[in-house]
Amino acid sequence: MALASLKIPSNPGMKDKDLSHINRTRTTATDPVAIAHSFKRTQALGVQHNSRSVAQVSLVDEWCRPLYNAYIQQDKPVVSYLTELTGITQEILESRGRPHAEVMAGLRDFLSPQAVLVGQSIHKDVQWLQLAEGIDYHSMINLSDLFRVWNAPRKAYTNFSQDHCAKVWLGMQERPHHDALTDATVSMSLFNMYRQLQIYPQQMLDMRQRTLDAPRIPGFSKKFPSIDGCCMGHHKTCICGASFD
């Protein structure tokens, strides 16, 4: 089914971002297609929220089929595996972890200059994984922007956690852990649901209002400002004072 032009809503007076090139019927080598979500999970090498190391990398296609899932061996001492968030333990990394270079080479086997990466704050994943635009991917779609809702009384956008959007849009319950493969699957499911509703303006408006009105499910870092003494990096509850750049 060909989809109508897909746009990310913007602030009043700003031009919408045209995503009409994403079409589920086009999968040729030259057309960018929403094929993948690249997601990483980190562990703490220090107590500051920017002292992290990539521990898991996962990829799914646009039908939510797993393409790649790998754990990374660590070459520096780990302060916390952040198990409450990631579900990752020392035993998992020791038994299933592979060298960083090997994992990244495997990931790039599934990427291409035509790939469109989709995910919650996907730009952060791309930075952590040091992926190159035009080589590893064509463009990114940030679900945080896609699912934000204009709050007229506040005259500002309201942003939502992945769990909140998954509950409202997909009927999912909160998950005890956020491993990379599950997060990738949820992200692509949300994106596909958004694409389905894009051609039905009234239904889209109704879902946006439901998202705004539903009891908020906060992000993990807001609920748990620290784990094992390691700051989780929420802007309002940061305990380490490190930069957010």
Side-chain angles (χ1 to χ4, degrees):
M1 177 182 68
L3 296 181
S5 179
L6 178 63
K7 296 181 178 181
I8 294 179
S10 60
N11 285 305
M14 291 179 60
K15 186 178 180 180
D16 287 342
K17 182 178 180 181
D18 186 5
L19 299 178
S20 58
H21 58 280
I22 298 177
N23 183 320
R24 294 188 71 167
T25 65
R26 293 187 287 141
T27 56
T28 69
T30 57
D31 290 327
V33 184
I35 62 166
H37 168 101
S38 175
F39 201 92
K40 59 96 179 74
R41 270 295 162 212
T42 61
Q43 57 197 353
L45 300 183
V47 297
Q48 294 184 323
H49 60 249
N50 56 9
S51 181
R52 297 288 190 268
S53 175
V54 179
Q56 183 187 11
V57 179
S58 299
L59 196 73
V60 303
D61 65 15
E62 68 169 315
W63 293 276
C64 298
R65 297 175 300 197
L67 296 176
Y68 190 68
N69 183 45
Y71 294 93
I72 299 177
Q73 293 174 352
Q74 303 301 301
D75 55 8
K76 295 181 180 179
V78 176
V79 174
S80 173
Y81 292 90
L82 306 178
T83 304
E84 292 88 341
L85 169 63
T86 65
I88 295 173
T89 64
Q90 180 178 354
E91 290 73 22
I92 288 176
L93 290 190
E94 289 181 349
S95 62
R96 301 173 61 182
R98 293 153 50 195
H100 181 273
E102 180 182 321
V103 169
M104 290 305 301
L107 174 66
R108 286 188 166 95
D109 285 342
F110 291 96
L111 300 179
S112 75
Q114 288 78 42
V116 178
L117 301 181
V118 178
Q120 190 87 353
S121 300
I122 188 65
H123 59 286
K124 295 182 180 179
D125 292 350
V126 167
Q127 291 171 2
W128 272 95
L129 297 174
Q130 298 182 333
L131 300 179
E133 183 178 359
I135 299 175
D136 299 314
Y137 67 97
H138 175 276
S139 57
M140 298 178 283
I141 297 175
N142 183 1
L143 295 184
S144 298
D145 292 339
L146 206 63
F147 285 88
R148 64 184 183 175
V149 177
W150 181 255
N151 191 324
R154 294 175 50 192
K155 296 182 179 180
Y157 275 106
T158 298
N159 294 289
F160 305 95
S161 68
Q162 186 190 58
D163 278 344
H164 181 83
C165 293
K167 180 179 180 180
V168 176
W169 287 70
L170 304 175
M172 291 183 59
Q173 299 301 311
E174 284 190 80
R175 293 166 288 152
H177 302 297
H178 280 246
D179 70 280
L181 185 58
T182 302
D183 274 354
T185 304
V186 172
S187 287
M188 191 54 71
S189 298
L190 283 169
F191 180 63
N192 286 334
M193 181 62 74
Y194 189 97
R195 289 199 289 176
Q196 291 175 26
L197 289 187
Q198 181 74 17
I199 59 176
Y200 304 107
Q202 187 56 54
Q203 291 186 35
M204 178 64 75
L205 287 174
D206 291 345
M207 285 301 297
R208 289 191 177 281
Q209 192 61 48
R210 286 178 56 188
T211 305
L212 189 62
D213 293 342
R216 294 285 295 275
I217 298 180
F220 189 91
S221 63
K222 186 174 183 179
K223 290 189 295 183
F224 303 97
S226 66
I227 296 177
D228 299 331
C230 300
C231 179
M232 296 305 295
H234 190 274
H235 284 76
K236 294 183 178 180
T237 59
C238 174
I239 63 172
C240 72
S243 171
F244 284 92
D245 294 338

